[in-house]
Amino acid sequence: MANCFILDIGKTNIKAYLLDEQAQILWQQNTPNQSYEAQYRYFDVDAIWQWVIEALTTAVTVAPFTKINVSTHGACAALLDKNGQLVLPVMDYEQTIPQDVNQAYGNIRDDFSQTFSPDLPMGLNLGRQLYWQKHSHPAAFSRVDCVLPYAQYWVWRLTGVKCAEITSLGCHTDLWLPQQNKPSSLWKKLSLEHALPPIKAAYDVAGNLLPGIRQAVKLDQECQVFCGVHDSNAGFARYIYSLQNTNLTLISTGTWVLCMSLSLPQHGLDPDRDMLANISVHSQVLPCAKFMGGREFERICAQVGSPLEQSFKVHDLQQLIDQQVYALPSFSQSGGPFMGLKGQIIGDANNGKALATLYLALMIDYELTLLGAHNDIVLGSSAVKNPLLCALLAQLRPSQKVLLSGDLATTVIGAWSLTRWHQDVPESLQTFSQASALSLRGLIAYRDNWVQLAESRIRVAS
């Protein structure tokens, strides 16, 4: 059996999975992803590495594996010197960047029309992180020999092979020109032309697991390590692989909620609404709209005083609509279509999870409208984790099918798919159900009023 180990480093949690040839999960393990404060907010990659080794060691006792792939969040890179040592800590993109740096950086970044990368807060543009590191730590930065996107940093630690990959280079980094399929001028402006490693496809093998690691975790056979992938793009790759169909809109949920489709027009992307283009594993321009939905969900629950484990039913949603209780964006300062607005709850909510679910559905519906999405909508793990969210979307968008894959972890299935890109697709990955729409009274009028309230706050803020 060609089992596969997947390392998925998300912004909130770090997860490890072992999957068999049918994409069935044999084992999984996770731990919170933490960042620390020093000269800036950073990730302790050595502590993460220790956890990875322990996870590999445990997975081997469940079943041997011959493939490994890595998916990670974006807006993150490791800067290595000629000896393979970090010249600076790996920055957390939620680090606040000084305003004078933002202003100076704004003068050198390429235009949105070329990069499809919006001007985002904090360190959500990787180029902004690099610019700040260059000017705040010039001696260390001068030693940079290689810039490894975050997924490829972990691939390098597993294989000793340095490479880059297109989905990681192209996710709101300011470092790539998607339509021209080449690096942006920022590499030269940062004196990093020499530091971009060879670019490989996400479905390419980077190399074999280093012998020392294989021996340490007691894995008897050789093990191929693939090139790694940006997590949201891994989710999209799962459907390219299983459906051989790109005429769909994927809603990827997690810390971030992304709506993405290759069929959507690029000319309608509005950077002020956090609309952008990622790049698919086939180097295609992938129009997207995003907001920090997972984080906002948690904050709405906390503001209402509801635990995340709280249950809710359809009548809780109906009560919110009947009583005109609204959660108005935004409950995160990390972009989204209502960037810069502070979240507000109008009315008294008894069930925070119901209100947060209603908020997510309205935000996703709003994003889909901004994108002009009219094709089938596909959701993965949301169908398992929060089925009423899917049913709400089906009622909000009756002219579109809302399809459910039933995946427990779409990103992980996508990363797994990339390790067998040209092989037959298991039947289980080709089976979809269709969400049944709810029949909530007054939902459409409630949605229209929510949009009016939210957009009026934009006008006031501007």
Side-chain angles (χ1 to χ4, degrees), residues 217-407:
V217 304
K218 298 181 171 56
L219 181 62
D220 292 334
Q221 60 240 77
E222 290 289 344
C223 182
Q224 293 180 322
V225 181
F226 286 73
C227 289
V229 62
H230 174 229
D231 52 12
S232 297
N233 292 73
F236 197 80
R238 178 257 192 262
Y239 298 104
I240 297 176
Y241 168 73
S242 60
L243 297 179
Q244 303 297 306
N245 172 20
T246 57
N247 185 26
L248 53 84
T249 296
L250 171 65
I251 299 171
S252 172
T253 58
T255 303
W256 290 91
V257 174
L258 266 83
C259 303
M260 59 186 96
S261 177
L262 289 169
S263 303
L264 300 177
Q266 299 167 22
H267 61 78
L269 297 176
D270 182 352
D272 292 333
R273 311 307 297 275
D274 206 352
M275 300 170 74
L276 64 151
N278 281 347
I279 306 176
S280 79
V281 294
H282 288 312
S283 298
Q284 300 155 297
V285 179
L286 179 56
C288 302
K290 68 180 177 68
F291 67 103
M292 208 173 195
R295 183 72 56 79
E296 294 195 74
F297 191 98
E298 294 174 358
R299 289 179 177 171
I300 291 170
C301 288
Q303 193 163 327
V304 174
S306 300
L308 290 173
E309 299 77 21
Q310 183 179 27
S311 62
F312 71 100
K313 297 182 179 179
V314 174
H315 71 79
D316 295 303
L317 297 170
Q318 187 66 67
Q319 186 177 47
L320 291 168
I321 295 168
D322 291 344
Q323 296 179 358
Q324 298 290 285
V325 179
Y326 294 96
L328 299 177
S330 166
F331 296 86
S332 162
Q333 300 307 306
S334 302
F338 299 96
M339 211 178 307
L341 297 183
K342 185 176 181 180
Q344 177 186 3
I345 295 175
I346 298 175
D348 295 322
N350 295 322
N351 191 304
K353 194 168 182 180
L355 181 62
T357 298
L358 190 53
Y359 175 83
L360 280 194
L362 293 169
M363 285 286 285
I364 292 170
D365 176 65
Y366 188 82
E367 297 267 55
L368 293 172
T369 299
L370 284 178
L371 285 165
H374 300 294
N375 48 8
D376 290 350
I377 297 166
V378 180
L379 294 107
S381 57
S382 298
V384 178
K385 297 173 183 175
N386 195 342
L388 286 178
L389 172 64
C390 306
L392 271 167
L393 281 171
Q395 183 177 354
L396 287 167
R397 305 191 74 83
S399 64
Q400 295 169 266
K401 291 180 182 178
V402 177
L403 303 176
L404 313 174
S405 68
D407 293 347

Side-chain angles (χ1 to χ4, degrees), residues 51-125:
W51 185 89
V52 171
I53 294 298
E54 292 171 0
L56 286 165
T57 303
T58 303
V60 169
T61 66
V62 176
F65 48 89
T66 57
K67 298 177 180 179
I68 296 174
N69 205 1
V70 181
S71 64
T72 70
H73 61 79
C76 191
L79 310 181
L80 303 182
D81 65 16
K82 290 182 178 180
N83 299 315
Q85 299 297 311
L86 285 174
V87 302
L88 287 165
V90 175
M91 188 182 294
D92 180 343
Y93 64 63
E94 291 192 85
Q95 167 66 44
T96 300
I97 308 293
Q99 188 54 36
D100 62 328
V101 173
N102 287 330
Q103 291 174 348
Y105 177 70
N107 293 328
I108 70 162
R109 64 193 296 268
D110 289 314
D111 189 74
F112 177 80
S113 62
Q114 295 181 285
T115 63
F116 290 120
S117 180
D119 187 1
L120 296 172
M122 301 182 293
L124 280 161
N125 298 118

Side-chain angles (χ1 to χ4, degrees), residues 152-170:
Q152 286 70 57
Y153 169 71
W154 295 106
V155 169
W156 169 72
R157 291 199 71 156
L158 291 163
T159 65
V161 175
K162 296 174 182 176
C163 63
E165 182 276 326
I166 198 68
T167 68
S168 300
L169 285 173

